[in-house]
């Protein structure tokens, strides 16, 4: 079995502002009546024809509720999904109580500090979003990337939590609550022969340490700590179409 841990937003699916005019898309997520997330039709076909050897597990910063909004292409539905940055495991749509209990145990020593940072950030007018996602990590969204960079640098000096910025978003987590740690836990549970991963930002970089092949778009290499084992995909076109095609080639060579 090949485990493929895959980020969602800007990796498999995209907001309207990131759509390419030469591609055809399907809507996979609506919120309050508005279409907000899309997948290219070619990506959908590749997922529908994914080799049986591959277990694709979405590993997303989305909350469990946000993930459940996604409508996957007909004929494809991941049996497992890691939401909340890997802190919650969904098995056929149902939360694994054992997984969540372990996540809460791992993050318990940082609960008080996480609450402190939440209260601190909640007082800032610079953030258009400030929330404790599933009570596991702090998510902040600033009005622009420069403002996010300023606050991320400031907060990193004042907390023992991990502060990760991607664009205008800031993720503040327990040091042991990153996506790489979640992928390692999943490997221990599933015992795959190979592990792949794909992501688009610094929040996804920790996964690469636990994968034999890691896929990132070309713009991700501008970030600090870009993984040395990462493969650059999609200098042009849709990122997901590129790495899914590469995985199919890998399977045929086995």
């Amino acid at each position: 079995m090949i485990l493929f841990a895959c980020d969602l937003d800007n990796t498999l699916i995209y907001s309207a502002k990131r759509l390419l005019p030469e591609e055809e898309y399907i809507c996979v997520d609506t919120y309050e009546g508005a279409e907000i997330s899309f997948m290219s039709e070619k990506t959908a076909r590749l997922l529908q024809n994914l080799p049986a050897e591959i277990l694709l597990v979405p590993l997303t910063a989305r909350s469990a509720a946000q993930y459940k909004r996604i409508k996957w292409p007909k004929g494809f539905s991941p049996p497992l999904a890691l939401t909340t940055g890997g802190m919650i495991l969904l098995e056929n749509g149902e939360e694994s109580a054992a997984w969540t209990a372990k996540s809460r145990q791992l993050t318990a020593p940082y609960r008080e500090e996480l609450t402190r940072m939440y209260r601190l950030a909640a007082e800032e007018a610079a953030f258009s979003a400030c929330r404790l996602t599933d009570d596991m990590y702090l998510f902040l969204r600033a009005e622009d990337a420069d403002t996010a960079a300023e606050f991320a640098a400031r907060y990193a000096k004042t907390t023992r939590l991990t502060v990760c910025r991607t664009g205008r978003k800031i993720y503040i987590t327990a040091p042991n609550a990153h996506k790489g740690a979640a992928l390692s836990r999943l490997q221990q549970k599933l015992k795959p022969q190979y592990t792949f991963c794909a992501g688009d930002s610094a929040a996804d970089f920790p996964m690469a340490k636990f994968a034999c092949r890691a896929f990132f778009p070309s713009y991700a290499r501008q970030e600090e700590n870009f993984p040395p084992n990462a493969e650059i995909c999609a200098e042009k076109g849709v990122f997901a179409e590129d790495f899914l095609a590469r995985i199919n080639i890998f399977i045929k060579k086995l």
Side-chain angles (χ1 to χ4, degrees):
M1 184 262 286
I2 295 173
L3 172 60
F4 178 32
C6 190
D7 176 52
L8 286 181
D9 293 277
N10 300 323
T11 299
L12 273 183
I13 62 180
Y14 303 88
S15 63
K17 67 181 180 180
R18 286 180 173 262
L19 303 186
L20 301 175
E22 65 270 22
E23 292 277 350
E24 297 293 331
Y25 293 88
I26 58 173
C27 177
V28 295
D29 182 15
T30 59
Y31 182 64
E32 296 182 343
E35 297 183 340
I36 61 172
S37 298
F38 303 83
M39 175 184 293
S40 77
E41 289 189 351
K42 183 176 179 180
T43 297
R45 291 193 298 272
L46 287 166
L47 290 176
Q48 290 165 333
N49 294 288
L50 207 62
E53 299 94 328
I54 295 179
L55 175 63
L56 188 151
V57 178
L59 208 174
T60 176
R62 285 189 173 215
S63 68
Q66 289 171 329
Y67 173 80
K68 289 180 180 180
R69 293 201 312 254
I70 296 175
K71 292 179 173 56
W72 294 99
K74 184 178 180 180
F76 175 80
S77 181
L80 301 178
L82 283 166
T83 73
T84 322
M87 294 294 99
I88 292 178
L89 174 65
L90 300 179
E91 299 176 312
N92 295 312
E94 298 297 323
E95 183 175 337
S96 167
W99 187 280
T100 301
K102 180 63 174 180
S103 295
R104 296 200 183 281
Q105 179 185 354
L106 290 171
T107 58
Y110 305 95
R111 183 67 48 195
E112 184 176 336
E113 177 63 4
L114 193 60
T115 301
R116 184 185 74 84
M117 291 301 297
Y118 170 65
R119 291 172 177 168
L120 180 67
E123 297 177 354
E124 292 291 347
F127 298 125
S128 58
C130 174
R131 59 177 176 265
L132 284 172
T133 305
D134 289 331
D135 200 33
M136 292 286 192
Y137 75 84
L138 177 58
F139 170 78
L140 308 172
R141 183 174 61 241
E143 294 301 327
D144 55 70
D146 289 340
T147 301
E150 176 186 342
F151 275 93
R154 183 190 309 174
Y155 288 160
K157 296 176 181 179
T158 61
T159 182
R160 60 191 180 121
L161 300 174
T162 298
V163 180
C164 178
R165 180 188 70 87
T166 63
R168 61 194 186 104
K169 299 176 182 179
I170 302 173
Y171 302 90
I172 301 180
T173 69
N176 54 3
H178 52 73
K179 287 187 175 184
L183 179 53
S184 177
R185 289 172 63 188
L186 192 63
Q187 287 174 318
Q188 295 171 33
K189 177 182 175 68
L190 300 178
K191 302 291 192 294
Q193 184 178 6
Y194 301 99
T195 299
F196 293 166
C197 73
D200 74 297
S201 72
D204 302 308
F205 291 171
M207 290 194 292
K209 179 180 177 181
F210 300 94
C212 60
R213 298 185 70 176
F215 304 106
F216 288 88
S218 57
Y219 60 80
R221 60 186 163 198
Q222 301 173 8
E223 301 277 358
E224 293 183 5
N225 302 315
F226 185 73
N229 67 326
E231 297 184 28
I232 296 297
C233 295
E235 294 285 354
K236 297 180 180 179
V238 176
F239 173 41
E241 295 175 4
D242 191 344
F243 67 68
L244 287 171
R246 294 190 191 201
I247 290 173
N248 280 330
I249 293 172
F250 178 87
I251 293 295
K252 291 177 182 178
K253 291 181 178 180
L254 290 179

